Amino acid sequence: MPEVTPAIGLQLWLDDQARVLRLAGPLRSLLALPAQAGARVHDYLERHSWLVLEGQPADWQGQPLDLDFHTVMGHALHTRGWLQRHEQGWMLQLFDIGDLLREQRWDRQRPLLGEIGHALRECGSERLLQTTREQLYSLAEHWQAAALRLMLREAGGWRHYASSDETWPWPDDRKLRERLERWPAHTLIGVDDDPELLALCGAASLFLVPYRQGLEAEAWVLCAGARQAPPVDMALALVRTLTEPLLVRHRRQQLQHQAHHLDDLQRQLGAGWWEWPAHGELQLDPALAASLGLANRVSLGQWLARLHPADREPAQLALDQARDGQALSLSVRVPDPDPLAPPRWLHWAGQGQGGQLRGFLLDISALKAQEQQAGAARARLENLIARSPAVIYVQRYAEGALHSDFYSASLAPLLGWAADSEQARQPGLAVHPDDRPLWLERTRGLLRDGQVRCRYRLRDHLGGYHWMLDEARLLRNDLGQPLEVVGLWLDVSEATEAAERMRQSEERYRVLVEDSPAMICRYRPDLTVLFGNRPLADYLGCMPEQLQGADLGQWLSAGQREAFLLRLRALTPEQPVSSAEICLQLPGREHAWWVWADRGLFDAEGNLLEVQAVGRDNTEVRRSQQQLLQGAKMATLGELATGLLHEINQPLNVMRMAVANTLKRLESGAADQAYLEDKLRRIEAQVERAARLVDHMRVYGRRSAVEREPFAAWAAVEGARALLEEGLRGKGVTLRLEPPEALAQVLGHQDQLEQVLINLMVNARDALLEKQVAQPWIRVRQALHGGGLSLLVEDNAGGIDPQLHERIFEPFFTTKPAGVGTGLGLSVSHGIVSQMGGCLSVDNGAEGACLRVELPLHSTS
Ligand code: ADP
C-alpha cells in the first residue's frame, strides 16, 4: 500500500478500469459516496462530468480535468486536477475550484447584471414592457434557454412578461401558480425535483427561479428548454436584478396612480390638505386654494377674511386651541362672490404635530343643505303635529307594563297636560271612569295582537273630556320581545258628538216615523217595500217586519197598479214629487182610499232608486164625498121628477088609449086579429119604453162603482137624454143632440158624467124658461182634440154675465129664487169633472151660454 501522504484537496486512487480504490484528502468528507463497493469514479460525479472522463484512465493523463462531484450537501463540488501514474494504478489529484469558477462566472455575468439593471431602471415607462422583454431575451440567450417567462406578484394577481411571443408549452398557469404559492421560495427548482411540477409540465425541461422579499416569493422566472440549470447563485442574482427595478417601477406607478386617484377624489369632494407651520403662513392644497380663490400660502388675516364674518372668531379660537394641542374640528362658511348664492360650507379639521398644524378641509355644502332641508322639514312636521288635533306618543315596555316615554308637542294644546305631569306619566288615570275597561283592554290587546284601535274619553287639565281615537302599534326587537309602543291620539270629540247627535236625531226621526199617524214607507220602483211604519202595517193588517220585502202592488187592483206604476215612471229628478188618491183592496175591508204622496230618490244618472211615500187614509172623506154626490144625484132626480112623471105617464096614456080602443072594438065585435096584434104591439112598445126609463133611473140612482172604468162619453149624453128629453119637450124646449161619428172613451163613472150633463141641461132649461125665449133649444155635441174630448152644452138663453163666470162654480152660488136653486149643481159637476182629470168651463156663444166639459181620452195602450 502506498504511503498516505498528507494531502490537500482530494485524492482518488484508481485501477485501470477507473474503479476507486481509495479516497483521501480533506474534501473527501464532502462527497456523496456510491452505495456499492468497487464503484467507478463516474459514480462519484455529476453526469455532465462523464464527458470529461471518456475511455480508460490512461486516456485522461496530461490534461487538466474539471470534475463536478456529488456532495452530501446536494450541490456539486467543482474540482480541477490531474491524473498521474501511481504504482500499478492511477492517482487523481483534485482541488476545489468552486470559488474560482464562481469568480469567473461572476466576471462573465457582471456586465449582464449591470446592463439589465440599467436598462430596466432607465427606460421610459412606455418602453418598460418592451425593455423587459428584451432583457428576458438576452438572459434566455445567456442561459441557452428556449424561452423565459417572468411572473411578478402584484396586488390581486400576477403579471407576466415573456422573452418572446413564441408559445412554449407552458404548464397550466393557474395550477402552476397554485403549486408555486405553496413552494418555499428560496432556491431554484427544476421540474425533476417535484413530482407534482413534473406532472404539470410534462417532459419539458423547466427551471423556476424565485425572487423573494420576506417570506413570500415576489416573482418567478421560468426558464424553459435550457440544457442545464443555470447556476443557482447566478440565477438568483439575475432574477433579483431583473425583478427589483420592475417592482420598484410598478410600485411607483401604483403610487402615482393612487395619488391621481386621491387628487381626483379630493377634487370631487371639494377636499384638500392644509398645513400651518408654527411660525409661518397657512399652506393650502393648490386645487383647494384655487377653488377658494386664495393663494397657496396665506396669512392668518387673509384666511380669516375669506371666512364668513360670523365664523371668524370661532375659527380664531379653534386655531388657538389646536396650537395648545386640542384637535381642530369646526364648520365654517366661505361666502360666494354672488351675494345671492348660499355660502360654501367647509369642515375644517386638523391636529398639531410638533408645533405644526396639519389637517384637511372638506366641502360639506351639500350636507349642510340637506341638514337645513331636513331641519326645515322637521320643523314643518313638528309644527303640523303641534297644530293638529293629534298627539304622537311612545310608551316603553318594561316588565309587562307600558310607561310613557314621549309625547309630541301637540299634547299641551290638545289636553293641556305638561309632558312631565301626572296624567302624561299615567294616562290611565285621566281616562273617563266609564271607559276604564276600554283602556285596560287596549293595553291587553296591544300586547296580545301587536296593534290596537279604540276610542275612549280623556280628561283635560280643565276637567273636560275629549273623545280620543287611539291607534297604536307594538314594536318588537329581533327576538320578538316587546320594545315599545308607538301610537297616535286623535281628538274625535267633534266627530263622535256629531255622530251621537246624528244618532239621536235618527232616533227622533225613527220615533217620528214609527209613531206618526201617517203611513210612511220606502219602496223600490218595482213596488218592493223596503220599510213601512206601524200605521201602514196596521192598515195592511200585518206586522211592520212583514212589510219589508212585500209587494205594494198586491193591495192594488190591476188597473190601480198600472196607473200607480205609470205615475212613478213620470217622476224625474226635476219633478220628483207626485201625489194621487189610490184605492186599495184591503183584507177584511171593502175598499180604502188613500191620499198618497211619493218622492223619488235618484242616482247620479237620474235613475229612480227608491221612493219615499207618505199616505193618509181618505176613505171617510171619500165616502162622504160619494154620499154628497149621491145626494146631489138624488136631488137631480127629484128635480127631474116632474119630467120623469110625464115621461112615465106618456106610455101609460098611450097604453090606456090602446086598451080602451081595443075593448071598444071587442065589444063591438069588430076586433079582428090584425087590429088586436097592432094594439098589443103598441102596448108592448110603451111597456118597453117605461121599463127602459125605470131601469135607467135605477141605474142612475145607484151608488157609483168604487173604481173608475172606461166608457163612451156619448153614452152619458144619451143617458141624460133618456131622463130629460120628455120633460124638456113638455116645456117646449128642443133638445138637439149631434151624435159623434166615433164613440170616444173616457175613464170614470158614467152615472157621474151623466149627472154633470143633466145639471148643465137643467141649468140651460131654467135659463131658457126664465128668459122666455121664443124658440128655446139646447144643443149637445162632442168635439175631439189632441188627447181629449169636449162635450159642449149650448143654449139660446142669452148667456151668463161674464162677471159671474168665475163665481158660478162656487158652491151655493145661485141666481135662482130661494127654494128653487141650490147653487150646488155646477160646483158638484166641477168636482166630478176634475176627478176625471178634466175641467169644466163656461163661455158665451152667439145666442147663449156654452158649457164645455173637457176630458182626457182613455187610451187602452
Ligand atoms: P142652481 O142651478 O141651483 O142655481 P148652479 O150651480 O147649477 O146652481 O148654477 C149657478 C148659477 O149659474 C145659476 O143660478 C145661474 O145663474 C147660472 N147659470 C148656470 N147655467 C146657466 C145658463 N145656461 N145660462 C144662464 N145662467 C146659467
Side-chain angles (χ1 to χ4, degrees):
M1 281 296 273
E3 183 190 330
V4 177
T5 48
I8 52 162
L10 178 67
Q11 295 92 40
L12 286 93
W13 283 268
L14 310 175
D15 62 11
D16 286 337
Q17 279 73 44
R19 279 193 290 264
V20 178
L21 302 174
R22 190 157 69 89
L23 286 161
L27 293 178
R28 180 182 152 227
S29 57
L30 296 178
L31 298 189
L33 303 176
Q36 76 276 26
R40 295 178 74 209
V41 66
H42 297 76
D43 298 325
Y44 290 76
L45 297 176
E46 303 236 326
R47 208 168 172 78
H48 57 261
S49 294
W50 291 9
L51 296 173
V52 180
L53 302 183
E54 261 179 313
Q56 301 301 319
D59 305 329
W60 309 338
Q61 333 176 50
Q63 53 179 328
L65 300 170
D66 283 2
L67 298 174
D68 293 347
F69 283 84
H70 291 299
T71 67
V72 286
M73 288 99 69
H75 57 77
L77 171 66
H78 302 290
T79 60
R80 180 171 292 171
W82 296 265
L83 189 72
Q84 299 163 15
R85 191 86 211 162
H86 190 267
E87 297 172 3
Q88 278 82 43
W90 302 90
M91 193 205 36
L92 194 52
Q93 173 65 50
L94 296 158
F95 302 97
D96 183 353
I97 57 159
D99 288 343
L100 183 73
L101 281 180
R102 210 167 290 126
E103 205 56 41
Q104 281 177 354
R105 268 199 228 117
W106 277 113
D107 284 349
R108 271 209 311 278
Q109 295 196 357
R110 202 159 277 134
L112 185 62
L113 283 173
E115 257 170 49
I116 291 177
H118 180 76
L120 288 177
R121 264 191 297 278
E122 301 304 323
C123 74
S125 55
E126 70 289 347
R127 279 205 34 84
L128 186 62
L129 178 67
Q130 186 55 34
T131 311
T132 311
R133 296 185 64 161
E134 285 165 10
Q135 299 315 313
L136 280 173
Y137 185 77
S138 56
L139 191 57
E141 274 195 329
H142 179 72
W143 283 346
Q144 296 176 336
L148 281 193
R149 207 171 174 192
L150 171 65
M151 288 165 57
L152 216 57
R153 190 201 287 277
E154 286 190 335
W158 292 83
R159 190 197 289 231
H160 286 212
Y161 294 94
S163 60
S164 67
D165 291 332
E166 271 173 54
T167 48
W168 182 260
W170 299 109
D172 179 87
D173 202 46
R174 190 176 53 81
K175 287 186 182 153
L176 178 68
R177 275 205 311 266
E178 277 172 12
R179 179 70 196 94
L180 291 179
E181 299 268 4
R182 285 182 280 124
W183 196 274
H186 51 79
T187 186
L188 180 145
I189 49 172
V191 283
D192 302 342
D193 302 336
D194 180 61
E196 218 178 311
L197 270 181
L198 192 62
L200 273 177
C201 303
S205 137
L206 189 68
F207 298 100
L208 299 107
V209 190
Y211 165 72
R212 53 180 277 231
Q213 263 186 352
L215 294 173
E216 296 291 314
E218 294 296 304
W220 288 94
V221 169
L222 278 64
C223 168
R227 271 218 310 278
Q228 69 182 82
V232 178
D233 47 355
M234 286 310 300
L236 290 174
L238 274 166
V239 168
R240 185 183 308 117
T241 313
L242 191 65
T243 309
E244 272 178 354
L246 274 179
L247 282 175
V248 167
R249 293 195 65 153
H250 282 168
R251 285 200 187 120
R252 199 183 302 146
Q253 267 180 0
Q254 272 173 2
L255 279 175
Q256 272 173 359
H257 200 61
Q258 283 170 0
H260 269 304
H261 254 302
L262 210 63
D263 283 351
D264 203 34
L265 278 176
Q266 281 192 4
R267 211 172 22 77
Q268 286 182 31
L269 282 171
W273 55 265
W274 61 271
E275 267 181 18
W276 214 323
H279 307 286
E281 294 191 310
L282 168 66
Q283 292 172 31
L284 287 166
D285 177 40
L288 179 69
S291 80
L292 290 173
L294 288 170
N296 292 355
R297 285 168 180 276
V298 288
S299 67
L300 175 64
Q302 284 170 320
W303 169 239
L304 291 179
R306 186 70 189 91
L307 301 183
H308 190 279
D311 293 337
R312 286 174 195 160
E313 195 180 8
Q316 170 91 62
L317 287 173
L319 197 61
D320 290 346
Q321 283 175 342
R323 292 210 190 281
D324 291 343
Q326 286 186 27
L328 176 77
S329 172
L330 89 158
S331 300
V332 292
R333 277 160 290 179
V334 178
D336 196 274
D338 176 2
L340 291 177
R344 197 169 152 193
W345 276 94
L346 292 176
H347 183 63
W348 188 23
Q351 211 148 21
Q353 224 173 31
Q356 163 143 331
L357 292 175
R358 187 175 292 147
F360 67 90
L361 278 155
L362 186 65
D363 191 323
I364 52 164
S365 304
L367 267 179
K368 277 285 176 188
Q370 274 176 11
E371 211 173 85
Q372 277 170 353
Q373 273 174 9
R378 191 191 154 88
R380 278 199 296 273
L381 193 67
E382 276 177 356
N383 185 30
L384 201 70
I385 292 171
R387 282 152 48 112
S388 75
V391 176
I392 294 171
Y393 64 82
V394 176
Q395 290 184 310
R396 194 168 26 81
Y397 173 87
E399 292 160 2
L402 297 172
H403 306 274
S404 298
D405 225 18
F406 165 82
Y407 288 99
S408 63
S410 46
L411 182 68
L414 205 69
L415 288 169
W417 300 355
D420 56 353
S421 62
E422 187 65 24
Q423 300 100 309
R425 267 198 302 281
Q426 281 183 288
L429 297 179
V431 172
H432 192 286
D434 292 351
D435 297 343
R436 293 222 168 112
L438 290 175
W439 169 259
L440 295 176
E441 178 49 33
R442 165 213 175 258
T443 309
R444 277 197 294 271
L446 201 48
L447 295 176
R448 185 182 59 232
D449 306 330
Q451 60 184 51
V452 79
R453 182 189 159 95
C454 59
R455 200 187 278 245
Y456 45 80
R457 278 162 289 180
L458 282 181
R459 196 175 59 241
D460 63 20
H461 66 308
L462 298 174
Y465 280 99
H466 296 248
W467 274 104
M468 289 296 191
L469 177 67
D470 185 355
E471 281 220 53
R473 207 169 251 282
L474 179 70
L475 307 182
R476 297 174 184 274
N477 64 12
D478 298 347
L479 302 173
Q481 288 156 343
L483 214 59
E484 61 180 23
V485 167
V486 179
L488 183 85
W489 275 335
L490 199 64
D491 191 335
V492 290
S493 304
E494 245 170 62
T496 308
E497 278 152 21
E500 177 61 16
R501 280 199 297 277
M502 174 73 103
R503 199 190 59 72
Q504 283 174 2
S505 102
E506 265 177 13
E507 177 64 18
R508 276 200 293 276
Y509 172 72
R510 196 187 61 73
V511 168
L512 204 70
V513 168
E514 281 297 306
D515 298 354
S516 158
M519 295 169 282
I520 295 174
C521 86
R522 288 170 36 227
Y523 59 90
R524 287 216 200 90
D526 65 354
L527 304 189
T528 310
V529 177
L530 298 166
F531 163 81
N533 68 350
R534 180 161 289 283
L536 181 69
D538 289 346
Y539 269 103
L540 295 176
C542 62
M543 300 301 291
E545 305 78 62
Q546 291 174 306
L547 279 178
Q548 203 174 339
D551 177 13
L552 201 59
Q554 65 180 287
W555 293 286
L556 300 173
S557 69
Q560 278 281 324
R561 187 190 158 98
E562 197 183 319
F564 196 95
L565 290 171
L566 202 67
R567 209 166 43 78
L568 288 189
R569 257 177 258 141
L571 295 180
T572 61
E574 293 76 32
Q575 283 287 339
V577 183
S578 149
S579 61
E581 193 172 32
I582 58 171
C583 175
L584 293 98
Q585 296 157 342
L586 296 185
R589 287 175 64 175
E590 208 181 320
H591 281 102
W593 289 93
W594 291 355
V595 174
W596 192 252
D598 291 305
R599 167 178 279 274
L601 300 179
F602 297 85
D603 65 10
E605 276 80 47
N607 300 315
L608 182 62
L609 291 181
E610 67 167 71
V611 183
Q612 294 182 341
V614 181
R616 165 173 66 76
D617 187 4
N618 203 37
T619 313
E620 284 309 312
V621 177
R622 184 69 183 217
R623 208 161 274 156
S624 2
Q625 265 178 0
Q626 270 176 346
Q627 274 166 3
L628 194 71
L629 270 182
Q630 192 61 23
K633 258 190 341 193
M634 296 322 279
T636 314
L637 264 189
E639 209 171 318
L640 294 177
T642 346
L644 285 172
L645 286 180
H646 183 77
E647 195 89 341
I648 294 167
N649 229 5
Q650 197 62 20
L652 286 180
N653 279 338
V654 174
M655 282 189 282
R656 189 182 304 123
M657 290 284 291
V659 169
N661 287 343
T662 309
L663 282 174
K664 267 186 211 157
R665 277 284 180 107
L666 281 175
E667 279 166 11
S668 65
D672 59 5
Q673 181 156 358
Y675 179 82
L676 285 177
E677 219 172 83
D678 176 51
K679 286 297 170 212
L680 284 174
R681 292 241 180 270
R682 185 172 296 178
I683 292 167
E684 190 187 22
Q686 295 307 315
V687 169
E688 285 280 311
R689 183 177 159 194
R692 249 202 331 268
L693 190 66
V694 171
D695 258 0
H696 191 78
M697 276 171 62
R698 219 181 12 238
V699 169
Y700 180 74
R702 222 184 270 154
R703 278 165 178 276
S704 301
V706 176
E707 285 193 39
R708 302 192 294 179
E709 47 205 22
F711 64 94
W714 194 255
V717 180
E718 292 289 353
R721 191 240 291 261
L723 294 177
L724 275 179
E725 194 173 29
E726 205 53 42
L728 289 176
R729 196 181 301 134
K731 304 265 192 231
V733 178
T734 317
L735 182 59
R736 294 191 202 151
L737 297 194
E738 294 179 8
E741 281 170 15
L743 290 180
Q745 297 234 308
V746 292
L747 196 62
H749 305 280
Q750 188 185 325
D751 57 329
Q752 290 179 3
L753 184 58
E754 213 167 282
Q755 188 185 353
V756 172
L757 290 163
I758 289 169
N759 283 340
L760 300 183
M761 289 190 219
V762 165
N763 276 346
R765 179 202 68 191
D766 290 348
L768 288 167
L769 294 182
E770 194 204 358
K771 300 273 169 66
Q772 297 181 341
V773 178
Q775 285 183 320
W777 52 258
I778 299 174
R779 183 170 60 183
V780 184
R781 58 197 170 96
Q782 177 182 309
L784 288 176
H785 47 81
L789 67 77
S790 297
L791 295 174
L792 298 154
V793 179
E794 294 159 289
D795 59 51
N796 60 341
I800 307 167
D801 181 355
Q803 287 187 341
L804 299 179
H805 281 189
E806 289 294 314
R807 300 199 55 203
I808 56 170
F809 298 108
E810 289 173 10
F812 310 114
F813 177 83
T814 179
T815 56
K816 294 170 191 171
V820 177
T822 58
L824 283 175
L826 286 181
S827 147
V828 167
S829 300
H830 191 270
I832 293 173
V833 174
S834 296
Q835 274 231 316
M836 292 175 75
C839 82
L840 176 59
S841 59
V842 64
D843 217 350
N844 280 337
E847 296 178 61
C850 170
L851 281 116
R852 177 189 293 263
V853 179
E854 278 175 87
L855 292 170
L857 280 178
H858 171 66
S859 67
T860 40
S861 63

